[in-house]
Amino acid sequence: MVRADNVHKSFGSLEVLKGVDLTVASGEVACVLGPSGSGKSTFLRCINHLEKINAGRIEVDGDLVGYRERGGKLHEMGERDVARQRQSIGMVFQRFNLFPHMTVLQNVMEAPCRVKRENKAEVRDRSRALLERVGLSDKVDNYPGQLSGGQQQRVAIARALAMRPKLMLFDEPTSALDPELVGEVLDVMKDLAREGMTMIVVTHEIGFAREVADNVVFMDGGVVVEQGPPNEIIANPQQERTKAFLSKVL
């Protein structure tokens, strides 16, 4: 589903990604761990071309993301074509980014109706079902400001799912939440994993990675230091940098 080959990204003179390689199979959950500043979130944003890469290539479901290849060279797509690609890639951020002037139901319905121009009645039914799925069927008429942080993040997940993506990207989705609200968001993500959704999750929740991930990726200094099944990477890391990081967070 996702293939990243030798991905580089710089901001001015600061090289953030220094040749990232990663493959995620369809239906797989990959959890990306690492210290702040290691390039995790930047890499995630490159997958749906929110950040433009400087070298390398990223493919999602066999399609090159953000570029077309002609004559052995990559040419950047126009914004409209990139936006069309993004429709199949759901993303949930640290901050919920809900529209404060819209109800919960309107937030979930907005993109399918406006972007995909789907039938409003069908979208409403699907959105209600998604809100029930994330445990918020009683909040459809509430506004974001009336919800807790955990509830808002669950709305954000339902909103991403409303576009029927084939890939979900989560950028530290629980880091802005009070500790007692983390579990309700992780429970929704666990359900998605059980249902076979392909997911890449940048997280500090080691317990979640141990329980849900098929593949754990440890990044530091803009590269993938080590990756493999959670029982190998978390329980028995081989690289000293991985050992040092885990010794501080476990």
Side-chain angles (χ1 to χ4, degrees):
M1 181 61 77
V2 180
R3 183 185 300 277
D5 292 319
N6 196 30
V7 172
H8 289 254
K9 173 63 184 178
S10 297
F11 295 98
S13 60
L14 177 64
E15 192 177 16
V16 178
L17 301 179
K18 303 174 183 177
V20 174
D21 296 305
L22 182 67
T23 301
V24 181
S26 181
E28 190 172 88
V29 178
C31 284
V32 185
L33 310 178
S36 296
S38 59
K40 308 182 304 294
S41 294
T42 298
F43 174 63
L44 206 67
R45 292 171 64 86
C46 288
I47 293 173
N48 64 358
H49 208 61
L50 285 175
E51 297 290 352
K52 301 174 184 179
I53 63 177
N54 299 113
R57 57 193 292 144
I58 297 173
E59 296 177 1
V60 173
D61 202 18
D63 294 326
L64 195 59
V65 174
Y67 298 89
R68 288 192 180 89
E69 193 167 14
R70 289 197 301 269
K73 292 186 177 181
L74 299 185
H75 302 268
E76 190 171 2
M77 288 180 176
E79 187 56 40
R80 181 174 294 181
D81 291 327
V82 172
R84 194 175 296 117
Q85 282 190 327
R86 287 198 192 112
Q87 291 180 20
S88 63
I89 305 173
M91 187 156 186
V92 178
F93 300 88
Q94 295 179 40
R95 296 289 170 181
F96 326 121
N97 298 329
L98 300 176
F99 297 115
H101 63 289
M102 292 183 179
T103 66
V104 164
L105 183 60
Q106 288 169 337
N107 264 281
V108 178
M109 291 178 60
E110 177 72 1
C113 289
R114 186 180 292 269
V115 178
K116 286 189 167 182
R117 306 207 180 278
E118 293 186 38
N119 178 275
K120 195 169 184 178
E122 291 176 7
V123 173
R124 182 181 290 108
D125 289 343
R126 186 164 84 242
S127 298
R128 285 183 177 276
L130 285 168
L131 287 166
E132 183 173 356
R133 180 175 171 184
V134 300
L136 293 172
S137 57
D138 59 333
K139 303 293 185 183
V140 291
D141 295 323
N142 287 55
Y143 288 89
Q146 299 171 306
L147 305 181
S148 70
Q151 289 170 331
Q152 289 187 62
Q153 192 62 297
R154 284 186 280 155
V155 174
I157 293 173
R159 179 180 62 181
L161 292 173
M163 291 291 280
R164 295 190 274 212
K166 50 192 170 188
L167 169 68
M168 285 285 286
L169 308 175
F170 292 87
D171 186 8
E172 299 190 27
T174 60
S175 64
L177 301 179
D178 292 333
E180 66 269 23
L181 301 177
V182 168
E184 62 190 52
V185 174
L186 293 181
D187 284 345
V188 172
M189 294 170 65
K190 289 174 187 175
D191 285 342
L192 285 177
R194 281 191 287 267
E195 291 166 12
M197 174 63 75
T198 309
M199 298 159 58
I200 302 178
V201 185
V202 170
T203 183
H204 293 295
E205 301 291 339
I206 306 296
F208 174 82
R210 184 187 282 121
E211 180 182 349
V212 178
D214 300 291
N215 192 32
V216 171
V217 180
F218 177 68
M219 285 184 67
D220 190 31
V223 298
V224 173
V225 175
E226 193 169 0
Q227 62 178 305
N231 60 344
E232 291 180 11
I233 303 303
I234 297 174
N236 189 31
Q238 301 302 301
Q239 301 298 319
E240 291 302 320
R241 186 65 192 91
T242 316
K243 292 177 184 177
F245 172 77
L246 289 172
S247 71
K248 292 173 182 167
V249 298
L250 288 177

mmCIF file of all heavy atoms in Angstrom, residues 121 155 197:
data_model
loop_
_atom_site.group_PDB
_atom_site.id
_atom_site.type_symbol
_atom_site.label_atom_id
_atom_site.label_comp_id
_atom_site.label_asym_id
_atom_site.label_seq_id
_atom_site.Cartn_x
_atom_site.Cartn_y
_atom_site.Cartn_z
ATOM 1 N N ALA A 121 -27.989 12.983 1.370
ATOM 2 C CA ALA A 121 -28.726 12.064 2.246
ATOM 3 C C ALA A 121 -27.882 10.819 2.542
ATOM 4 O O ALA A 121 -27.840 10.335 3.684
ATOM 5 C CB ALA A 121 -30.051 11.666 1.602
ATOM 6 N N VAL A 155 -14.204 12.627 16.628
ATOM 7 C CA VAL A 155 -14.909 13.239 15.497
ATOM 8 C C VAL A 155 -13.951 13.385 14.314
ATOM 9 O O VAL A 155 -14.314 13.120 13.163
ATOM 10 C CB VAL A 155 -15.494 14.617 15.879
ATOM 11 C CG1 VAL A 155 -16.096 15.310 14.649
ATOM 12 C CG2 VAL A 155 -16.562 14.477 16.959
ATOM 13 N N MET A 197 -7.895 -1.845 8.355
ATOM 14 C CA MET A 197 -7.492 -0.570 7.778
ATOM 15 C C MET A 197 -5.968 -0.456 7.772
ATOM 16 O O MET A 197 -5.312 -0.726 8.776
ATOM 17 C CB MET A 197 -8.091 0.604 8.582
ATOM 18 C CG MET A 197 -7.613 1.982 8.153
ATOM 19 S SD MET A 197 -8.069 2.442 6.464
ATOM 20 C CE MET A 197 -9.821 2.793 6.686
#
